[in-house]
Amino acid sequence: MTRTSTCAYHFILWNWYIFLNVYIPQLGTIFQDGAQTKYLTLFNLFVFLAFWTIFLYDRELVYPKFLDGMFPVWLNHAMHSFILLFSLIEIILRPHHYPSRKTGLTLLAVSSVGYISRILWLHSKTGQWVYPMLARLSPVGLTAFFFLSYISAASIYLLGERLNHWKWGDARELHPNLCRRKAESPTFPHTTCSPAFLFY
């Protein structure tokens, strides 16, 4: 896909993200007073696997039936399903430059701790859990759940890295002729080609 088409696709997704984050909070008191920031769904729309696994087991744990009267079916899928399609398209669209595995997993851990801290802080202030299922867990159960959530997220991250490599190969092998021309050109005196250069 050309650079123009890629930019157009990302522009459409960006506007879709903005639309959902403006539209959804207007649908009910559940999102009043900035409360929408407690839901991971509205941060990144990337909870397909966790949401539907729990939903199919017992929907009352994550998406109680009363929400059907608040959110239309298409909106539920917009929040929890479409991200799978968008993610697969993104892998096919163009290669991505991943940081070192240590850096990537560390940043993921920091983000996870930040969100978990937000959940615990809200519970300490309101006495209520963001997700109903958390109220059924003991302190040990909560610890295990949060830990397994990170393991699941890390597994998905590594899967994305593997799929990116499967589709595009080693970044340094994507355009070997380009790298060679850079090395031979007096304008680019370096003898190696930076992988990051290949993605712009």
Side-chain angles (χ1 to χ4, degrees):
M1 185 174 286
T2 66
R3 185 182 182 90
T4 300
S5 299
T6 301
C7 291
Y9 173 73
H10 287 159
F11 179 76
I12 292 173
L13 289 190
W14 175 241
N15 281 275
W16 174 249
Y17 178 82
I18 293 176
F19 164 72
L20 290 179
N21 275 271
V22 172
Y23 176 70
I24 293 174
Q26 301 177 15
L27 298 181
T29 57
I30 189 174
F31 295 115
Q32 285 185 352
D33 302 321
Q36 67 266 28
T37 59
K38 67 185 180 182
Y39 293 104
L40 187 62
T41 293
L42 295 185
F43 274 130
N44 57 12
L45 306 179
F46 190 50
V47 291
F48 172 85
L49 182 61
F51 175 84
W52 288 111
T53 298
I54 299 174
F55 184 95
L56 292 175
Y57 173 73
D58 183 355
R59 66 169 298 172
E60 295 299 319
L61 295 177
V62 66
Y63 195 83
K65 194 171 181 60
F66 77 85
L67 291 178
D68 289 343
M70 185 181 301
F71 302 121
V73 174
W74 71 264
L75 190 55
N76 183 18
H77 287 290
M79 294 187 290
H80 303 115
S81 301
F82 293 172
I83 186 61
L84 176 63
L85 175 62
F86 296 154
S87 297
L88 293 176
I89 292 176
E90 188 67 29
I91 291 173
I92 298 172
L93 195 62
R94 66 185 290 117
H96 292 265
H97 176 58
Y98 278 75
S100 69
R101 185 162 295 177
K102 179 179 180 180
T103 299
L105 292 177
T106 299
L107 291 175
L108 181 61
V110 171
S111 300
S112 299
V113 170
Y115 182 64
I116 291 172
S117 298
R118 170 70 170 163
I119 290 177
L120 296 175
W121 180 82
L122 284 170
H123 178 261
S124 69
K125 292 295 184 180
T126 65
Q128 297 180 339
W129 289 104
V130 173
Y131 302 104
M133 64 172 297
L134 299 180
R136 303 188 184 186
L137 300 177
S138 66
V140 174
L142 283 172
T143 302
F145 176 78
F146 290 140
F147 176 74
L148 291 176
S149 295
Y150 172 74
I151 295 300
S152 176
S155 299
I156 294 174
Y157 173 86
L158 295 175
L159 175 62
E161 183 183 60
R162 179 63 63 91
L163 290 175
N164 183 73
H165 185 272
W166 170 76
K167 169 62 179 176
W168 298 102
D170 192 319
R172 291 166 294 184
E173 297 174 356
L174 289 176
H175 301 289
N177 294 332
L178 177 59
C179 293
R180 183 165 58 252
R181 287 198 299 271
K182 281 190 63 182
E184 295 172 351
S185 171
T187 308
F188 301 100
H190 302 291
T191 57
T192 60
C193 183
S194 170
F197 173 81
L198 302 176
F199 304 126
Y200 294 92

